[in-house]
Amino acid sequence: MAFELVKTESSSKARRGRLTTAHGVIETPVFMPVGTQASVKAVSPRELRELKAQIILGNTYHLFVRPGMDVIRHFDGLHQFMRWDGPILTDSGGYQIFSLAKLRKITEEGAHFQNHLDGTPAFISPEIAIEIQQTLGSDIAMVLDECPPWPCEYDYAARSLEMTLRWAKRCKEAATTGQLLFGIVQGATFADLRRQSAEALVQIGFDGYAIGGVSVGEPEPEMMQAIETSEPFLPADRPRYAMGLGTPPQMVEMVARGVDMFDCVLPTRLARNGTAFAAEGTLNLKNAEYTRQKGPIEEGCTCPACAEFSRGYVRHLLKAEEILGLRLVSLHNLHFYLNLMTRTRAAIEAGTFEDFRRQFVHNYKARDEAGT
Amino acid sequence: MAFELVKTESSSKARRGRLTTAHGVIETPVFMPVGTQASVKAVSPRELRELKAQIILGNTYHLFVRPGMDVIRHFDGLHQFMRWDGPILTDSGGYQIFSLAKLRKITEEGAHFQNHLDGTPAFISPEIAIEIQQTLGSDIAMVLDECPPWPCEYDYAARSLEMTLRWAKRCKEAATTGQLLFGIVQGATFADLRRQSAEALVQIGFDGYAIGGVSVGEPEPEMMQAIETSEPFLPADRPRYAMGLGTPPQMVEMVARGVDMFDCVLPTRLARNGTAFAAEGTLNLKNAEYTRQKGPIEEGCTCPACAEFSRGYVRHLLKAEEILGLRLVSLHNLHFYLNLMTRTRAAIEAGTFEDFRRQFVHNYKARDEAGT
């Protein structure tokens, strides 16, 4: 078994687990930094190791477009290419085909599209999505799915779901290597479709189950509902992954709802805009109030940025558009996300997760400048 | 004595020296990475230490404009602000007032200007330039000078030189702390003015002597001539610093002409453009030929980028505009410059500098894509 439950909670659905992959063991709940183009933006593999990142994510669509599979194959896969020897999860490319590519046409066979860089036409089917992820050599591959937009009509969601299930079956049949393969629960905001999707995927049988179609612009209650209406129909002995999520309190709330894995661009994206995460909410470090502050970005933080540099200096770097500013805030934010999951795991192990959750969410929401 | 000559050469004017500053001892000849805005672009202080940078440069004009002396004073100087505990040299701000600031007016008293960021009017006199550098707390301060453009008429160069000498005297009188103070030889391309400038500065007496008004667009023979016509009139027991120089072969040629210190933005500026330095000349890493190359940026290089990453990966990062790409090429280029001076020092010590110089300059010029 690739996944083992180490501890469960009685007062919530939070789980402490352990997922074994070809490149190492992952302690869950886990946050996965996003390395879209074979690089987690602004940080190096060495820094990721020092931050104790357990697994990173690569985006199949982006890597398929550039540098292309020919180059990745020549370098013997993504691990070798980017020199990250820990586990990698790759998405299937579906989400980016729907959100980024031009002139896309979806048929039963697969997705025709023109890439967003130079318009080169391409075609990705479920079988090709698996083949690409095998070439990338990721430890965890995802099935190709159609991710409906929000809001979405019931009929469209139901029809899309049917095709996504047929695609999932084809992915399963195409996946013949030792790579772990995760199914993706769709069904938009409709409880019966979520259940139908989860049950059909479990019937096919996957190494893990993602909840897709979340973080696509829907309000937070609908996001939570998508999890709550999917989770009861997923097997306890497989990891659950909420795709593209979320804010720090959202992740903690999702853990309480039985989710084990997260990925999100917020820590690195907001860093490039000068926004830092902290226990009491986000700070915009470009604000004038930080100009003369000698303390670290966050008091008590053990990240490499806070260990050495002051808010005043980081603010200066951001205002002066120095790359070191983005680097330091990216390191801090990634540490914040990774450390939040470390603390979550410890709380589940100690049986104090409910207290941890209540206190963290309360403190965080008390002062969130960015409204994330 | 702050400066000690460890070894001299019989076949050239190359010198192996040692300069003692408040924050450490500097082995010369030395290259100083440029940290214009309190950051060497794209690299961290830790990385600079790992690259064995001995001293860095800060730009007085830029720091005066942003974050401003009020903030620097609050943080107890530039070392504390940017967390670099090695030696720092600051320029006087003169060069940037002449090249960057708007609406400047030069009088005997000093330079009136509006800064290039928001047009705020400011005034810097020789006394103020020293006071600012004392606030910055640099180990080596420079006198305020007027840097004439190239080409420059004799009469203008002569008049400018006279005022620069009076300013140098005022700087010396204002410098009352333990900071080392360097004079700046001007005189454009005129041998008699260079001699006059050097002799007058030596009369005033400084801890070191810079050769200014070079690297301002003049052809290389005129640059070399500016050094050759200044150096004979500078005392052997004081360090000589060629400001804003240069390409790798130019530095080696300047060492042969008796120069001990260099600063240059080329390693970091060209890195941001994808250009890497190598023993045989520069490489534009964005070129398609590097797409599939598994070797490092430069074969045999011991820098952190070459130790881990391939040309193909670095090219991908540069094409995808990933910050890690700029970081890796910046590290490599700074290592190249720093290592070139390490090899230069070793060659002088071993008495093989002339062979080293001939071979290095020959190999480098054999293949220089960037024409630097």
Side-chain angles (χ1 to χ4, degrees), chain A residues 343-362:
Chain A
R343 290 162 65 204
T344 298
R345 291 194 298 273
I348 299 172
E349 281 176 20
T352 56
F353 175 74
E354 272 307 298
D355 284 348
F356 171 76
R357 165 195 181 184
R358 199 175 320 110
Q359 205 174 332
F360 178 80
V361 173
H362 173 80

Side-chain angles (χ1 to χ4, degrees), chain B residues 15-339:
Chain B
R15 303 128 53 89
R16 176 67 188 83
R18 188 168 290 144
L19 178 62
T20 301
T21 75
H23 286 83
V25 172
I26 299 157
E27 305 293 338
T28 67
V30 65
F31 172 72
M32 308 183 280
V34 180
T36 302
Q37 305 186 104
S39 172
V40 175
K41 287 197 189 301
V43 308
S44 68
R46 168 181 155 182
E47 287 165 338
L48 287 171
R49 286 189 290 269
E50 290 174 353
L51 289 171
K52 298 196 170 41
Q54 300 187 74
I55 172 173
I56 63 170
L57 187 141
N59 284 119
T60 290
Y61 169 85
H62 286 281
L63 296 166
F64 174 79
V65 171
R66 181 171 59 193
M69 285 309 111
D70 190 42
V71 170
I72 295 289
R73 200 175 294 113
H74 176 73
F75 279 90
D76 299 316
L78 185 56
H79 286 92
Q80 277 297 321
F81 184 58
M82 69 181 290
R83 310 297 288 174
W84 166 258
D85 58 8
I88 297 177
L89 179 147
T90 46
D91 61 9
S92 66
Y95 184 78
Q96 276 80 23
I97 291 175
F98 295 103
S99 60
L100 270 184
K102 292 178 283 195
L103 287 178
R104 55 186 173 275
K105 192 185 161 208
I106 315 302
T107 66
E108 182 68 29
E109 185 52 26
H112 296 264
F113 62 94
Q114 297 187 355
N115 80 47
H116 68 296
L117 284 185
D118 61 9
T120 304
F123 172 69
I124 290 187
S125 65
E127 291 78 12
I128 294 171
I130 294 299
E131 190 193 323
I132 294 171
Q133 293 179 84
Q134 284 172 354
T135 300
L136 289 166
S138 53
D139 299 80
I140 304 173
M142 304 298 297
V143 299
L144 185 67
D145 63 333
E146 189 191 355
C147 178
W150 181 89
C152 174
E153 296 291 322
Y154 185 91
D155 283 357
Y156 179 83
R159 270 200 318 277
S160 164
L161 178 60
E162 287 298 330
M163 189 183 68
T164 284
L165 286 172
R166 290 190 296 270
W167 282 8
K169 199 155 193 296
R170 285 164 59 190
C171 284
K172 172 79 187 281
E173 279 158 15
T176 54
T177 64
Q179 221 169 15
L180 300 175
L181 180 64
F182 281 22
I184 306 178
V185 179
Q186 290 288 355
T189 52
F190 307 103
D192 62 325
L193 295 183
R194 286 277 168 191
R195 174 178 185 161
Q196 181 190 328
S197 172
E199 287 179 340
L201 287 170
V202 173
Q203 195 67 32
I204 302 170
F206 290 96
D207 299 305
Y209 296 88
I211 291 134
V214 285
S215 198
V216 290
E218 77 282 8
E220 195 170 289
E222 300 206 357
M223 178 194 289
M224 292 297 162
Q225 221 173 16
I227 307 294
E228 289 161 3
T229 54
S230 305
E231 184 273 336
F233 309 102
L234 297 175
D237 62 354
R238 292 288 188 280
R240 296 88 174 258
Y241 161 30
M243 298 185 84
L245 291 183
T247 66
Q250 281 170 358
M251 290 202 302
V252 173
E253 288 299 334
M254 295 263 171
V255 168
R257 286 162 176 79
V259 176
D260 309 296
M261 303 169 70
F262 305 92
D263 79 284
C264 190
V265 294
L266 279 181
T268 45
R269 180 172 293 164
L270 291 192
R272 295 198 299 283
N273 167 40
T275 299
F277 286 93
E280 297 184 342
T282 56
L283 318 169
N284 186 338
L285 290 171
K286 286 185 177 170
N287 285 351
E289 61 178 303
Y290 302 122
T291 308
R292 299 164 68 92
Q293 294 192 2
K294 292 183 180 177
I297 297 173
E298 183 178 17
E299 211 58 63
C301 174
T302 58
C303 88
C306 289
E308 213 172 349
F309 303 98
S310 65
R311 277 185 181 171
Y313 179 59
V314 174
R315 176 185 188 267
H316 163 71
L317 293 176
L318 293 168
K319 294 295 284 184
E321 297 183 357
E322 286 287 347
I323 287 171
L324 184 58
L326 314 183
R327 287 181 57 185
L328 294 177
V329 187
S330 296
L331 285 174
H332 172 81
N333 285 354
L334 285 170
H335 171 85
F336 185 88
Y337 267 66
L338 292 163
N339 187 242

Side-chain angles (χ1 to χ4, degrees), chain A residues 37-38 41-42 46-47 49-50 70 74-75 81 83 292 294 308 310 313 316 319-320 322 327, chain B residues 37-38 41-42 46-47 49-50 66-67 70 74 81 83 292 294 308 313 316 320 322 327:
Chain A
Q37 304 187 106
K41 287 198 189 297
R46 167 180 156 183
E47 286 165 339
R49 287 189 291 271
E50 290 175 352
D70 191 44
H74 176 72
F75 279 90
F81 184 57
R83 309 298 288 175
R292 298 164 67 91
K294 292 182 180 178
E308 212 171 351
S310 65
Y313 179 59
H316 164 70
K319 294 295 284 184
E322 285 288 346
R327 288 181 56 184
Chain B
Q37 305 186 104
K41 287 197 189 301
R46 168 181 155 182
E47 287 165 338
R49 286 189 290 269
E50 290 174 353
R66 181 171 59 193
D70 190 42
H74 176 73
F81 184 58
R83 310 297 288 174
R292 299 164 68 92
K294 292 183 180 177
E308 213 172 349
Y313 179 59
H316 163 71
E322 286 287 347
R327 287 181 57 185

